[in-house]
Amino acid sequence: MKSVVKLLREIRDLLMQQKQVAYTIPEAAGVARIGVTKLREHIARGELVPSFIDSKPVILHDELERWLRERPNKAPH
């Protein structure tokens, strides 16, 4: 099983390859490799802050990267 640090590095590398400025909720979940429901839970807790285009929520690349960097380095027991 890969460590969280290795996964975060892989995610960082994927984000660096991406040229998108903003992601839909499903796209952001895919980039972060988590489910849409889990991503929405983090948004609801105010940990990940969406921007809005009209009424459509999007996650800016920099916000997604900030949020990923703030995740714990170890999985909870």
Side-chain angles (χ1 to χ4, degrees), residues 17-68:
Q17 293 171 10
Q18 296 288 328
K19 300 301 180 192
Q20 275 183 262
V21 175
Y23 303 97
T24 64
I25 299 297
E27 287 173 336
V31 170
R33 296 190 180 179
I34 63 172
V36 171
T37 301
K38 184 59 71 177
L39 187 80
R40 288 186 187 280
E41 289 173 8
H42 288 279
I43 291 170
R45 289 195 300 261
E47 298 170 8
L48 181 63
V49 181
S51 295
F52 290 87
I53 298 174
D54 295 322
S55 61
K56 183 177 181 174
V58 295
I59 305 297
L60 297 178
H61 174 88
D62 291 344
E63 173 63 9
L64 183 59
E65 186 172 32
R66 178 205 57 80
W67 177 76
L68 288 169

